[in-house]
């Protein structure tokens, strides 16, 4: 469930695992069974769907918990209207029926996973991924509108491809108008199969950053993440996956591409990482003479497995009570933490994160990486930015960055009390629908970044 409720508020690292696969259409009866389950939900018959659950699903999502989830869906999406589309995908022994449903406020995809015995082994809600209507967005929200600080007359955008080995990642170069050469920045995504705008529900932070910085004389390169392309493949393989293949290789390739782009000052190329991208920023820059500086936005210093436990604990206690389902999630997160730290972990081990698999190679690679120590060993300028309204990465990690960079004259850590994980000003309770509300990266963040990178329009 990708809505911002207690049950399903996405954890940063878990987004990596939300990679669907395309498969051949399966028999109509499975689709009809999924539609019957939705009809039972609408009729408030929660025992009906549970009767089709396998043992693990029945334990994790009993009728009373399913009722609570459905009420949360209604509170956010509005009243159910109709099923507007259906498709079936195959993943190993599982068949996944995705029903696109119209609700009063926004369309949702209801994903129901059936095992080989036709029992329900998974149940998810997320904003609809159907094609965008004319003038709208894929989830039927209002289209993105430029922030007030963007000045489109000051820049132009062109399509660009970041070619990294066999991967060809579509991207956009946002170039200031004028003679240049201009300083430049590569934007590096957080966890998950992100597009070039790092679209997260109703917010497009990377497009905000690109338009805001280009308005101040800084070229910006952003591109679709490799895992987005991977998620669009049939039967994608994540065997042997590490953050090198997920993020680092492509970021370095993008920096090299910018260095050969007319109008860009090759000696003033920064890397700006967000969330996981910020965590990996020091590793991206290590040993790379063509990276002039780092901007680290909402980056964790502590291991991902610790953040997972912390985030789930926070979300479970939002209403001062922990349900059986939330207890099950927390217990699974604790087991994961033990597993990824075990001496028995190997590259081919399969680590299950809230029902989704990641190879042991991913965790072993991260185990050997210390972002604070790596940052401390860099001579380039570093800027650390953190929002005080961020429940995904918080004060503890910010303080660790400060400690690592203490005494550095070319390093600065800035705290923004009112900004959330996407650096949007938020007054909503953390984790409760704040990303579903349209918003923009705060203007002060744009101004501070422009000043650090040194764009000719940094004072605007």
């Amino acid at each position: 469930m990708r809505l911002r409720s207690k049950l399903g508020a996405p954890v940063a690292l878990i987004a990596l695992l939300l990679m669907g696969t395309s498969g051949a259409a399966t028999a109509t009866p499975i689709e009809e069974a999924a539609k019957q389950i939705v009809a039972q939900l609408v009729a408030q018959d929660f025992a009906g769907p549970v009767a089709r659950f396998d043992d693990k699903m029945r334990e994790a999502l009993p009728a009373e918990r399913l009722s609570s989830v459905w009420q949360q869906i209604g509170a956010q999406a509005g009243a159910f209207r109709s099923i507007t589309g259906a498709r079936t995908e195959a993943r190993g022994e599982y068949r996944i029926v995705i029903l696109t449903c119209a609700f009063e406020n926004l369309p949702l995809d209801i994903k129901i996973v059936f095992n080989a015995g036709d029992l329900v082994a998974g149940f998810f809600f997320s904003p609809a991924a159907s094609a965008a209507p004319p003038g709208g967005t894929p989830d039927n929200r209002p289209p993105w509108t430029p922030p007030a600080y963007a000045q489109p007359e000051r820049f132009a955008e062109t399509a660009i491809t970041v070619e990294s080995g066999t991967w060809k990642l579509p991207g956009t170069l946002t170039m200031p108008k004028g003679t240049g050469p201009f300083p430049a920045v590569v934007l590096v995504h957080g966890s998950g199969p992100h597009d070039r705008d790092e679209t997260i529900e109703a917010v497009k932070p990377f497009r905000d950053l690109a338009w805001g910085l280009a308005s101040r004389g800084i070229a910006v390169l952003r591109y679709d993440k490799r895992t987005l392309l991977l998620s669009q493949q049939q039967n994608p393989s994540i065997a042997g996956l590490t953050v090198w293949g997920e993020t680092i290789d492509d970021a370095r390739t993008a920096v090299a591409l910018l260095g050969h782009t007319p109008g860009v000052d090759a000696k003033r190329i920064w890397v700006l990482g967000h969330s996981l991208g910020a965590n990996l920023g020091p590793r991206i820059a290590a040993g790379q003479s063509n990276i002039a500086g780092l901007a680290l936005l909402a980056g964790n210093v502590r291991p991902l497995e610790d953040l997972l436990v912390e985030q789930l604990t926070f979300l479970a206690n939002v209403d001062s009570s922990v349900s059986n389902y939330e207890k099950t999630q927390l217990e699974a997160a604790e087991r994961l933490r033990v597993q990824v730290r075990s001496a028995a972990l190997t590259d081919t081990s399969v680590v299950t994160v809230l029902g989704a698999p990641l190879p042991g190679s991913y965790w072993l690679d991260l185990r050997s990486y210390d972002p604070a120590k790596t940052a401390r060993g860099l001579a380039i300028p570093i800027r650390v930015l953190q929002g005080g309204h961020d429940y995904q990465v918080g004060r503890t990690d910010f303080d660790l960055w400060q400690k690592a960079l203490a005494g550095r004259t070319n390093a600065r850590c800035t705290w923004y009390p009112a900004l959330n994980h996407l650096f949007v000003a938020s007054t909503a309770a953390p984790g409760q629908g704040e990303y579903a509300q349209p918003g923009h990266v705060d203007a002060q963040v744009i101004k501070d970044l422009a000043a650090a990178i040194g764009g000719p329009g940094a004072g605007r």
Side-chain angles (χ1 to χ4, degrees):
M1 176 176 167
R2 284 272 294 164
L3 292 183
R4 295 282 159 173
S5 68
K6 259 187 70 179
L7 172 66
V11 180
L13 75 106
I14 300 306
L16 171 66
L17 308 172
L18 303 178
M19 298 189 292
T21 59
S22 299
T26 55
T28 300
I30 286 292
E31 190 173 294
E32 290 303 318
K35 291 179 179 179
Q36 181 182 21
I37 288 172
V38 172
Q40 289 169 329
L41 293 175
V42 174
Q44 306 290 308
D45 173 14
F46 303 107
V50 172
R52 294 200 64 128
F53 288 180
D54 67 12
D55 290 341
K56 290 184 178 180
M57 276 292 297
R58 194 175 297 114
E59 179 183 356
L61 198 62
E64 63 272 15
R65 181 59 183 164
L66 181 59
S67 172
S68 175
V69 170
W70 187 249
Q71 302 311 315
Q72 292 177 46
I73 292 294
Q76 296 185 51
F80 175 86
R81 297 303 190 202
S82 63
I83 296 173
T84 60
R87 66 186 189 277
T88 304
E89 301 174 353
R91 186 167 184 171
E93 65 180 35
Y94 297 101
R95 288 168 294 173
I96 306 169
V97 179
I98 303 171
L99 301 176
T100 299
C101 300
F103 286 75
E104 182 180 9
N105 298 332
L106 75 161
L108 298 178
D109 281 341
I110 300 178
K111 181 185 294 186
I112 305 175
V113 182
F114 292 89
N115 64 21
D118 292 346
L119 294 177
V120 174
F123 207 133
F124 308 94
F125 299 85
S126 64
S130 55
T137 57
D139 55 16
N140 213 25
R141 291 190 180 93
W144 179 88
T145 56
Y149 49 74
Q151 302 176 55
E153 70 278 4
R154 294 182 178 272
F155 60 83
E157 291 197 311
T158 57
I160 195 167
T161 301
V162 177
E163 297 192 27
S164 185
T166 59
W167 292 92
K168 296 182 178 180
L169 310 179
T172 300
L173 176 63
T174 310
M175 179 68 75
K177 293 181 179 179
T179 56
F182 300 102
V185 61
V186 171
L187 304 185
V188 182
H189 324 71
S191 304
H194 287 294
D195 63 20
R196 70 197 69 181
D197 295 330
E198 203 187 35
T199 303
I200 299 177
E201 297 193 24
V203 186
K204 295 180 179 292
F206 275 14
R207 191 183 295 188
D208 291 344
L209 288 166
W211 283 41
L213 293 175
S215 297
R216 288 153 181 80
I218 299 170
V220 181
L221 173 58
R222 65 194 197 273
Y223 51 91
D224 293 344
K225 194 175 177 183
R226 187 184 297 194
T227 47
L228 179 65
L229 275 65
L230 183 67
S231 71
Q232 296 166 352
Q233 295 179 359
Q234 289 193 8
N235 302 316
S237 172
I238 58 174
L241 179 69
T242 68
V243 290
W244 175 266
E246 180 198 7
T247 297
I248 297 171
D249 187 29
D250 298 329
R252 288 183 174 181
T253 300
V255 170
L257 177 61
L258 268 184
H260 293 91
T261 299
V264 168
D265 186 343
K267 295 182 179 180
R268 291 196 292 164
I269 299 175
W270 282 53
V271 167
L272 185 157
H274 175 240
S275 198
L276 177 66
N279 169 275
L280 296 174
R283 192 170 171 187
I284 293 168
Q288 304 297 297
S289 60
N290 58 349
I291 295 177
L294 285 177
L296 310 179
L297 279 64
N300 59 295
V301 175
R302 293 171 297 155
L304 291 178
E305 62 269 21
D306 288 342
L307 260 67
L308 173 58
V309 172
E310 181 176 285
Q311 291 174 20
L312 289 175
T313 300
F314 170 84
L315 293 168
N317 286 281
V318 164
D319 60 0
S320 301
S321 66
V322 180
S323 68
N324 289 335
Y325 177 79
E326 290 161 344
K327 182 179 179 181
T328 299
Q329 279 194 318
L330 286 169
E331 290 172 348
E334 291 286 3
R335 288 194 299 271
L336 177 143
R337 179 155 60 180
V338 172
Q339 185 180 3
V340 301
R341 293 178 177 177
S342 169
L345 186 71
T346 68
D347 285 345
T348 57
S349 299
V350 177
V351 178
T352 301
V353 188
L354 300 186
L358 262 183
S361 56
Y362 191 87
W363 301 98
L364 288 170
D365 183 40
L366 287 176
R367 185 190 290 180
S368 63
Y369 171 55
D370 184 335
K373 181 179 179 180
T374 306
R376 192 162 52 243
L378 298 174
I380 59 176
I382 298 176
R383 296 292 184 271
V384 175
L385 286 67
Q386 178 64 48
H389 205 268
D390 185 346
Y391 77 92
Q392 293 181 245
V393 180
R395 185 82 205 194
T396 300
D397 293 276
F398 180 75
D399 290 343
L400 289 170
W401 286 118
Q402 284 191 307
K403 181 178 178 181
L405 300 172
R408 287 272 300 270
T409 58
N410 64 347
R412 180 178 300 170
C413 300
T414 306
W415 181 261
Y416 302 85
L419 305 187
N420 64 20
H421 190 63
L422 305 185
F423 290 84
V424 175
S426 177
T427 57
Q432 297 299 306
E434 53 184 322
Y435 305 155
Q437 302 302 316
H440 294 293
V441 172
D442 191 78
Q444 188 62 49
V445 171
I446 301 294
K447 185 176 180 180
D448 291 348
L449 288 170
I453 298 167
R460 287 197 293 270

